[in-house]
């Protein structure tokens, strides 16, 4: 496979399964299973695994065991050495908990829309920045890297399509606060490739380097891979995904699973782009986890590479 010179040679796959994936599951997994999930992801070569969430435990009970989980996970090494294990943090209380648990990288999150800021963070659009500002400042003073998510970058279930300048304005405010990376979230999965290109162009025009940007697609309308390819063509080289295609946001009803990591890795390897991820180990991890969740993985690649035992059609397999 000859790599396409217009695409990055290497992509960092930012795995969000243990956080975005499990936060939306009705089943609450025991901490030992979550820790094993993280260890398997690390063993499969994922370089970044967002492991836990230090939001209010009553808001997301599925992830209320963050402290315990960090102890259980320890500091596993991947095939290429140490991995980064960021945790989601909404405010200073969450930061205190994350620091006490030994986290070295956090991710804060803001909404590009007023309605979702109120529903997800219990703050107005402006009020969310008053909460995030001291969180980012103190995290940076502690030497932590800080990713910032912008949610509802393309559409919002209550407000409809979101204006490009509203998203760019939100993102720039987060960078001005000291965020070291911005992840552009299609929380409800309504983006299409042209819209992705227009948003990335708007960020570029406003002076934000594409090296600061990651993309975070949910796959509600089946557009996540096409959107990712559009983002790669604009120079984005960090892509969020969730093993097995789990995911969603409990505070946005129309949010469904994230782009499946297996689907992403299949496409990237097919394009000759390096990820460091072992697809077989990853598929085995999602099949193992599906057993604990009691439902099959929604990922097309997991289903193709690991068909149900009674499936009669033989599946041709050629991992790119
Ligand atoms: P609030 O009720 O306004 O909180 O919730 P508060 O600041 O008024 O505090 C009330 C009490 O909660 C206080 O205790 C605080 O100490 C405590 P009291 O003094 O009454 O005893 N408290 C906490 N306790 C533990 N951990 C904390 C914490 N914070 C306050 N961190 C809050 C505001 C932000 C806490 C709440 O709205 C919240 O936790 N929201 C999180 C919602 C969430 O997790 N959503 C899903 C993640 S975002 C997502 O999935 C999108 C993403 O994937 C990107 C995309 O797809 O677009 C990232
Ligand atoms: Mg998400």
């Amino acid at each position: 496979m000859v790599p396409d010179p217009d695409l990055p040679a290497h992509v960092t796959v930012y795995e969000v399964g243990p956080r975005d994936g499990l936060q939306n599951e009705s089943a609450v997994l025991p901490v030992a299973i979550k820790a094993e999930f993280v260890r398997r992801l690390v063993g499969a070569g994922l370089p970044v695994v967002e492991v836990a969430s230090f939001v209010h435990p009553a808001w997301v009970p599925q992830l209320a065991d963050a402290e315990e989980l960090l102890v259980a996970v320890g500091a596993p090494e991947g095939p290429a050495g140490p991995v980064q294990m960021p945790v989601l943090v909404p405010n200073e209380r969450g930061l205190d908990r994350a620091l006490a648990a030994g986290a070295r990288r956090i991710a804060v999150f803001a909404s590009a829309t007023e309605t979702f800021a109120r529903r997800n963070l219990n703050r107005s659009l402006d009020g969310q920045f008053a909460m995030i500002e001291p969180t980012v400042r103190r995290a940076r003073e502690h030497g932590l890297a800080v990713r910032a998510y912008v949610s509802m970058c393309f559409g919002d279930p209550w407000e409809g399509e979101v204006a490009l300048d509203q998203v760019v304005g939100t993102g720039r405010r987060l960078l001005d606060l000291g965020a070291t990376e911005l992840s552009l979230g299609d929380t409800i999965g309504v983006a299409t490739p042209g819209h992705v290109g227009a948003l990335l162009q708007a960020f570029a025009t406003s002076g934000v380097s594409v090296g600061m940007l990651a993309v975070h697609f949910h796959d509600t309308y089946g557009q996540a891979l096409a959107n990712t390819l559009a983002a790669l063509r604009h120079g984005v080289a960090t892509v969020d995904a969730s093993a097995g295609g789990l995911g969603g946001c409990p505070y946005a009803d129309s949010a469904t699973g994230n782009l499946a990591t297996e689907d992403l890795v299949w496409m990237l390897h097919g394009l000759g782009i390096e990820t460091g991820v072992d697809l077989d180990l990853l598929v085995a991890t999602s099949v193992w986890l599906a057993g604990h969740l009691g439902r099959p993985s929604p990922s097309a690649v997991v289903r193709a590479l690991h068909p149900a035992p009674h499936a009669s059609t033989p599946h041709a397999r050629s991992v790119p």
Side-chain angles (χ1 to χ4, degrees):
M1 174 71 212
V2 182
D4 183 334
D6 292 334
L7 295 174
H10 178 95
V11 162
T12 300
V13 179
Y14 183 110
E15 170 64 43
V16 295
R19 197 278 302 169
D20 212 343
L22 297 186
Q23 76 180 8
N24 211 38
E25 287 295 317
S26 49
V28 181
L29 294 179
V31 74
I33 300 295
K34 290 181 182 176
E36 178 65 13
F37 181 33
V38 173
R39 276 193 292 270
R40 284 175 180 244
L41 292 169
V42 169
L46 270 318
V48 192
V49 181
E50 195 168 282
V51 282
S53 173
F54 288 90
V55 301
H56 195 297
W59 280 62
V60 184
Q62 294 90 332
L63 304 184
D65 54 7
E67 279 88 352
E68 242 186 297
L69 178 59
L70 261 62
V71 172
V73 165
E77 291 242 330
V83 292
Q84 296 184 40
M85 293 198 299
V87 297
L88 196 72
V89 159
N91 55 12
E92 287 190 272
R93 174 84 183 92
L95 175 65
D96 290 338
R97 291 174 55 208
L99 288 170
R104 295 304 306 151
R105 181 173 174 181
I106 65 163
V108 298
F109 52 109
S111 170
T113 66
E114 180 74 36
T115 312
F116 191 61
R118 291 185 185 277
R119 285 181 174 256
N120 199 42
L121 287 166
N122 201 23
R123 296 292 183 276
S124 64
L125 190 62
D126 278 332
Q128 67 182 346
F129 292 105
M131 182 165 75
I132 293 169
E133 187 275 327
T135 311
V136 175
R137 180 173 36 77
R138 286 187 43 221
R140 301 285 284 132
E141 284 165 6
H142 278 85
L144 271 58
V146 179
R147 153 181 275 223
Y149 287 101
V150 183
S151 287
M152 302 298 175
C153 286
F154 300 90
D156 170 296
W158 303 278
E159 299 187 18
E161 186 165 328
V162 182
L164 298 179
D165 60 352
Q166 200 171 322
V167 180
V168 173
T170 306
R172 288 198 58 109
R173 277 178 85 167
L174 292 164
L175 290 173
D176 289 346
L177 294 182
T180 49
E181 179 181 76
L182 208 56
S183 180
L184 306 177
D186 182 16
T187 318
I188 56 168
V190 291
T192 46
H195 198 165
V196 171
L199 183 61
L200 291 170
Q201 186 55 53
F203 269 103
T205 304
S206 84
V208 174
S209 154
V210 72
M212 304 288 288
L213 299 178
V215 287
H216 179 102
F217 296 120
H218 287 257
D219 205 19
T220 318
Y221 288 83
Q223 306 292 297
L225 270 184
N227 292 337
T228 301
L229 188 54
L232 298 177
R233 292 211 181 280
H234 276 79
V236 171
T238 300
V239 181
D240 301 2
S242 171
L246 304 174
C249 178
Y251 294 97
D253 285 345
S254 37
T256 60
N258 289 71
L259 167 60
T261 315
E262 291 84 354
D263 299 14
L264 172 65
V265 168
W266 177 271
M267 181 182 81
L268 294 175
H269 290 182
L271 287 164
I273 296 173
E274 288 172 17
T275 65
V277 177
D278 181 322
L279 187 58
D280 286 333
L281 289 178
L282 185 57
V283 168
T285 298
S286 291
V287 171
W288 165 84
L289 189 71
H292 286 282
L293 292 172
R295 67 183 179 94
S297 160
S299 156
V301 169
V302 171
R303 279 185 273 117
L305 296 182
H306 198 280
H310 57 271
S312 55
T313 317
H315 288 251
R317 189 197 169 175
S318 159
V319 178

